[in-house]
Amino acid sequence: MTKTYDCTVDDQRAQGLEHAQRAISEKRCVVFPTDTVYGIAADAFSPQAVTMLLVSKGRSRTMPPPVLIPRINALDGLATDVSADARKLAEAFWPGGLTLILHAQPSLDWDLGETKGTVALRMPADDIAQELLTLTGPLAVSSANRTGHAPAQTAAAAREQLADSVEVYLEGGFRPAEGEAAVASTIVDATGPRLRVVRNGAISLDQLREHVPGVLGLGEIPMAEEEPAAEAPGADAPGADASADAVPAAEEPAGAVPVAEERVGDVSAAAGSSAVAPAPGGSPARDEAAPDQGQRP
């Protein structure tokens, strides 16, 4: 039976976390606060539970949820070929508003959707989220809202959208603080030779570059990767279009990025350098509340 717990009250918090842990073990969904927005969570290692999460949101397998982890040392258990630069960003911004897309450990028995062999990982900076993750282990998490609707900033708002599809709602007050706009996590694709921002969010490009100067901004590629420029009119050789489609941002709010659930405006510093050009397509779109404004939380 669906139940809401007020986690600002100690005894209800303890009861709520216990019930949420039990619900996760029974392949059911729970809603809880993160440092971005509220997220809907399910056992990351249960295809049945992940399917229930996607159905609750009205989302297809083409928008796989990110995975939230309780500790940075879970990184190597869930991902492989983690570069030194990706580790630098994780150490600098976890817990916090950074999601890293990495190659998933091939030995893991999970099915998050059409991930193309990748997994989006984040460690949230929220006490309730951390307590729950410590009890359950990694969770597949998306923003707690129906696809196409605004991300929930309270458990009560999430319940209005998700109703009985969720067994446990952990109410912790507004996320972020009441009156503040929800901002999704920044998503960085760390599966290629260069780290690349695929969704702007809570961590700016300038902040990322303080730790890894070579991070590419949204839609940027090194000049060396550009197509040859078109020759002057009248030349024998056909012209070549040097521009390409920009990397799509993850859905959300996404987590949200909204507004589409996970989309947010560009809050990073624009590169503005002539040394970059629009980048061709990128990693699979991700939702964050993920809890990944799924928005990603």
Side-chain angles (χ1 to χ4, degrees):
M1 182 174 69
T2 296
K3 187 169 182 179
T4 296
Y5 295 87
D6 182 356
C7 292
T8 64
V9 178
D10 290 344
D11 60 343
Q12 285 202 42
R13 179 166 173 160
Q15 293 173 28
L17 287 167
E18 180 182 359
H19 190 175
Q21 179 185 22
R22 185 168 65 255
I24 292 294
S25 69
E26 295 172 351
K27 317 307 179 190
R28 300 180 186 277
C29 295
V30 305
V31 161
F32 65 102
T34 78
D35 46 340
T36 55
V37 292
Y38 274 71
I40 176 174
D43 182 354
F45 299 100
S46 167
Q48 173 189 338
V50 172
T51 296
M52 182 176 293
L53 182 156
L54 295 174
V55 169
S56 296
K57 284 181 62 70
R59 171 171 292 174
S60 73
R61 288 172 50 82
T62 61
M63 290 297 295
V67 173
L68 297 193
I69 58 177
R71 295 174 297 278
I72 194 170
N73 61 9
L75 183 63
D76 291 304
L78 301 178
T80 187
D81 300 325
V82 181
S83 69
D85 283 345
R87 290 183 191 281
K88 286 180 183 179
L89 293 189
E91 291 169 356
F93 298 108
W94 282 0
L98 172 71
T99 296
L100 292 173
I101 298 177
L102 301 155
H103 293 291
Q105 280 285 2
S107 62
L108 293 177
D109 182 21
W110 59 6
D111 181 5
L112 298 170
E114 297 177 16
T115 65
K116 298 183 180 179
T118 66
V119 62
L121 300 178
R122 188 167 88 83
M123 180 180 172
D126 185 276
D127 289 345
I128 296 174
Q130 283 292 323
E131 285 186 52
L132 179 60
L133 289 164
T134 298
L135 292 172
T136 64
L139 293 174
V141 182
S142 181
S143 55
N145 55 276
R146 293 284 296 176
T147 295
H149 293 260
Q153 291 184 255
T154 65
R159 188 164 183 171
E160 290 178 358
Q161 297 189 49
L162 302 174
D164 294 342
S165 66
V166 170
E167 178 163 332
V168 178
Y169 290 86
L170 301 179
E171 180 64 80
F174 278 85
R175 296 292 193 283
E178 187 171 8
E180 293 184 9
V183 178
S185 65
T186 296
I187 302 178
V188 173
D189 184 349
T191 61
R194 294 279 295 275
L195 301 190
R196 184 191 304 278
V197 174
V198 294
R199 184 182 74 196
N200 293 305
I203 309 298
S204 72
L205 183 59
D206 281 347
Q207 289 176 298
L208 296 174
R209 285 178 172 169
E210 287 177 5
H211 301 273
V212 179
V215 175
L216 297 173
L218 184 66
E220 296 178 354
I221 59 173
M223 281 294 289
E225 296 181 25
E226 290 186 52
E227 295 291 336
E231 295 188 13
D236 293 336
D241 185 355
S243 66
D245 292 335
V247 175
E251 178 196 1
E252 264 167 246
V257 175
V259 179
E261 232 173 337
E262 285 178 358
R263 284 189 196 279
V264 294
D266 182 351
V267 298
S268 69
S273 167
S274 61
V276 296
S283 303
R286 298 276 183 174
D287 150 353
E288 187 147 38
D292 354 57
Q293 278 177 5
Q295 260 166 343
R296 282 175 201 228

